[in-house]
Amino acid sequence: MRLNPVTPELQQRHRRTGWLLALVGAVLLIGSPYLPWAWSDDALDDMTYLFGPSPTQFLGLALGAVLLVCLLAPRLLARVLAGRRARWFAFADGAKAAALGALVFVAVVVVGIAVELGGLVNVRYGGWIALVAALLAVAGTMLLPRDRPATLGGVRSPGWLVISTIAVVMLVTLLLVAYALDEDDPVIFVALLAFVAGVVAVLLKLGVGPWFSSQTARHRGVLVASAFLVAFAFPFTQDGSEANMSIATQVLIFAATALGLNIVVGLAGLLDLGYIAFLGAGAFVAAILSGSAFSAVGWNPPFIVTVLISGVVASLLGLIIGSPTLRVSGDYLAIVTLAFGEIFRLVMINLDGSDGPDLTNGSNGIPGVPDLDLLGFDFGEPHVLLGVEIGRFANYYFLLLLVIALIMVVFANLNRSRIGRGWVAIREDEKAAEAMGVNVFGLKLFAFAGGAFLAGVAGAVRAHHDISVTPDQYIFLESAFLLAAVVLGGMGTIVGVLLGAVLLRLMPEKLRFVDEYRLLIFGALLVLMMRFRPEGLVASRRRQLEFHEDDEELADKVDPTVTRAEGAR
């Protein structure tokens, strides 16, 4: 089902008119940031100046410039390259994505001004011109004929160009994340998300996304090293801000847990709605063995031992719940795992010395968990690194980076192994896999135990990071958010799950002003994702074709080398 209701015949007849409308819209979008958008400087980042665009207005200008390039590039390339390479790009589709992204961006800003200042009357003429320009651009691009699929993904590029592109992408990512965390205005944060989504959509339509994916497959080591270098550099951009680093560490804990769940759901295809219990098991074990004054156990082993015990206890719980229940599947498995998550929470509440052994202090949990002291390094004390003071949360941030690196190595190797191929076979067709000699029950059990172990490791770090552990931290809603991160990002992928985890943990922190409607917004986003991109934000080619079996255009886009490589995994 296409979003564009205009018929191809109408597009061919009015394509020149559409191009002119879109061109006018692009020019107005570029010029409108130099006009005032609001009557008061209390809205967003002060959009009251004439010929003085604010940083947010510059984002709208950038979207207008991208739209203008998409409209003019085919003609310029056709002249310069005699049309030979202009067909590599789908410029019309890129223009449509840029126009739609600009409309969403301007609409968010206009609504934000109205909300923060008390009505649409506070939006000045510059904002209305920008909104009309975006509408003109969308209407004009709808009249443009559809392009042939972009073929840039099959172009082989020199190594220096790919490595330089990776460096630029990582640097831009670091700057965007730092800017987003430093921004206190939630409307600006949402507008920034709309801007990034629009630019990414344009790059995907132009074929730059498939090109980047295919080229980085040849330089995967450089990509991974660059990503970790950027992640390592992030605390140095925060100027000692403990608030931002606290959010960042929470994001990493959530991401590490989601990667563990990705083994169960993304690879093995087992719908687990109680996965948060394994994170809680690791956290409670670490808190009990932490030496806290509120712990009923007097043993305080080194943290390395505690981590291993936490992971083993969580994996044993995975075996206990998996052994009797993994002979069922689908909705029945989901119901059983949901019940297990609730049972775990209630058991932790009952281990208060009254209804059961005194281990967890009941609903009060175990407060006063001391900071880690690993090999003489006190995570609770600030340290100076490369001339920059690194606070408590930054210390845990670096530790969690190592944990995520470990989980990524485990996940990648399992995915490439016979075990990973067996999980994928079970996910695709359990009966067929069993008929081909795959040990279905054993691999399911291993997936549950392995995913639980990784969650237990993340839980052990979380206990010391949060200082206290209570049963109410591990409710069903947390399991739902973890599952949503896997589905939203892209099941069976590493980058996709990390991206989904970052979005789902970061957005609630920045959208507290709509606290009552956060779940409604979250549900609406998931519905839109399931409608327009069910394979996730970052999906493998195999899953894209699974969800779009009848899409011949998508099949044509698949790089044969990538398809063969994935088929060999």
Side-chain angles (χ1 to χ4, degrees):
M1 180 179 177
R2 292 169 53 194
L3 286 177
N4 194 346
V6 182
T7 63
E9 294 78 12
L10 192 62
Q11 289 175 334
Q12 288 294 336
R13 191 180 311 144
H14 298 286
R15 59 181 179 178
R16 186 175 297 277
T17 302
W19 185 84
L20 288 174
L21 281 176
L23 184 65
V24 171
V27 172
L28 290 177
L29 279 171
I30 293 173
S32 61
Y34 293 93
L35 305 175
W37 286 23
W39 282 103
S40 172
D41 58 2
D42 294 332
L44 281 68
D45 53 356
D46 193 0
M47 301 181 173
T48 60
Y49 289 99
L50 182 65
F51 302 118
S54 70
T56 302
Q57 287 175 299
F58 266 118
L59 297 181
L61 185 152
L63 286 173
V66 170
L67 174 59
L68 185 63
V69 169
C70 290
L71 292 172
L72 297 180
R75 289 165 170 76
L76 295 177
L77 285 179
R79 292 176 179 272
V80 175
L81 302 176
R84 288 177 295 175
R85 293 182 174 85
R87 292 175 295 178
W88 284 355
F89 304 90
F91 286 110
D93 290 342
K96 293 172 186 178
L100 184 59
L103 178 59
V104 173
F105 172 83
V106 174
V108 168
V109 173
V110 168
V111 172
I113 294 173
V115 170
E116 294 188 2
L117 295 182
L120 290 172
V121 69
N122 294 286
V123 180
R124 295 191 68 180
Y125 61 92
W128 295 118
I129 290 175
L131 186 59
V132 171
L135 289 171
L136 282 175
V138 171
T141 54
M142 287 175 63
L143 294 173
L144 297 178
R146 295 188 67 186
D147 276 325
R148 294 175 55 189
T151 58
L152 192 61
V155 177
R156 190 176 181 87
S157 303
W160 65 266
L161 177 61
V162 178
I163 294 174
S164 301
T165 305
I166 291 174
V168 171
V169 168
M170 293 303 167
L171 178 61
V172 171
T173 301
L174 175 63
L175 296 176
L176 283 175
V177 173
Y179 178 75
L181 278 178
D182 285 337
E183 185 53 60
D184 295 327
D185 193 307
V187 177
I188 296 180
F189 177 77
V190 176
L192 179 63
L193 286 182
F195 168 78
V196 173
V199 172
V200 171
V202 172
L203 294 177
L204 290 175
K205 292 295 185 181
L206 291 178
V208 177
W211 172 84
F212 186 76
S213 177
S214 62
Q215 298 303 313
T216 52
R218 299 188 292 116
H219 302 274
R220 193 172 302 277
V222 176
L223 180 64
V224 173
S226 301
F228 273 97
L229 181 63
V230 166
F232 178 83
F234 173 73
F236 298 96
T237 66
Q238 297 305 301
D239 195 24
S241 172
E242 285 291 273
N244 288 345
M245 290 312 305
S246 174
I247 296 174
T249 52
Q250 292 174 27
V251 168
L252 289 186
I253 292 172
F254 189 76
T257 312
L259 283 172
L261 179 60
N262 196 25
I263 292 178
V264 181
V265 178
L267 293 183
L270 304 174
L271 185 56
D272 188 350
L273 295 181
Y275 190 77
I276 194 66
F278 303 127
L279 179 69
F284 269 104
V285 170
I288 290 172
L289 301 179
S290 66
S292 168
F294 297 89
S295 173
V297 177
W299 185 38
N300 181 21
F303 180 67
I304 299 297
V305 177
T306 299
V307 166
L308 293 176
I309 295 175
S310 299
V312 169
V313 169
S315 63
L316 287 176
L317 285 178
L319 292 175
I320 292 172
I321 186 61
S323 298
T325 60
L326 285 180
R327 300 190 185 278
V328 300
S329 60
D331 298 339
Y332 299 101
L333 178 61
I335 293 172
V336 172
T337 54
L338 171 60
F340 168 70
E342 287 301 299
I343 289 171
F344 171 81
R345 184 178 63 85
L346 294 175
V347 168
M348 293 300 103
I349 293 175
N350 289 328
L351 294 179
D352 58 355
S354 176
D355 299 317
D358 185 11
L359 287 176
T360 65
N361 294 322
S363 58
N364 293 323
I366 303 176
V369 179
D371 283 304
L372 283 175
D373 191 341
L374 186 60
L375 301 177
F377 185 89
D378 189 350
F379 282 74
E381 295 293 330
H383 299 81
V384 177
L385 183 63
L386 300 179
V388 178
E389 183 175 302
I390 303 298
R392 175 181 181 273
F393 291 113
N395 293 331
Y396 283 101
Y397 175 88
F398 289 127
L399 176 62
L400 285 164
L401 278 182
L402 295 178
V403 172
I404 284 186
L406 173 65
I407 294 176
M408 288 174 62
V409 170
V410 171
F411 182 90
N413 283 279
L414 283 174
N415 191 20
R416 289 193 295 264
S417 67
R418 290 182 60 187
I419 294 174
R421 291 195 294 271
W423 281 335
V424 172
I426 293 171
R427 184 190 70 196
E428 299 303 323
D429 193 324
E430 183 176 327
K431 296 298 182 183
E434 188 173 12
M436 294 299 294
V438 176
N439 184 357
V440 173
F441 180 75
L443 287 181
K444 281 184 175 181
L445 205 58
F446 183 64
F448 248 77
F453 181 88
L454 297 179
V457 171
V461 179
R462 180 178 180 176
H464 292 274
H465 170 270
D466 291 351
I467 301 178
S468 66
V469 180
T470 60
D472 289 340
Q473 292 175 307
Y474 306 98
I475 57 177
F476 164 70
L477 189 60
E478 292 296 320
S479 289
F481 270 94
L482 285 169
L483 181 61
V486 175
V487 175
L488 178 68
M491 292 192 295
T493 65
I494 294 177
V495 177
V497 173
L498 289 176
L499 179 60
V502 169
L503 288 176
L504 289 185
R505 184 54 71 182
L506 188 59
M507 288 181 65
E509 293 291 336
K510 291 297 182 179
L511 301 181
R512 292 184 179 274
F513 75 107
V514 291
D515 186 67
E516 297 179 358
Y517 304 100
R518 280 191 294 177
L519 288 180
L520 176 63
I521 297 172
F522 170 67
L525 288 176
L526 282 183
V527 170
L528 291 174
M529 279 296 302
M530 292 303 98
R531 167 59 187 86
F532 297 111
R533 196 171 176 83
E535 66 271 23
L537 294 174
V538 180
S540 64
R541 296 291 187 179
R542 183 192 296 117
R543 292 198 64 82
Q544 281 185 302
L545 292 176
E546 287 173 6
F547 282 102
H548 303 280
E549 293 179 353
D550 300 328
D551 193 339
E552 296 180 0
E553 177 183 328
L554 179 61
D556 292 338
K557 287 182 181 180
V558 176
D559 186 355
T561 59
V562 175
T563 306
R564 285 196 297 270
E566 290 194 357
R569 290 184 179 179

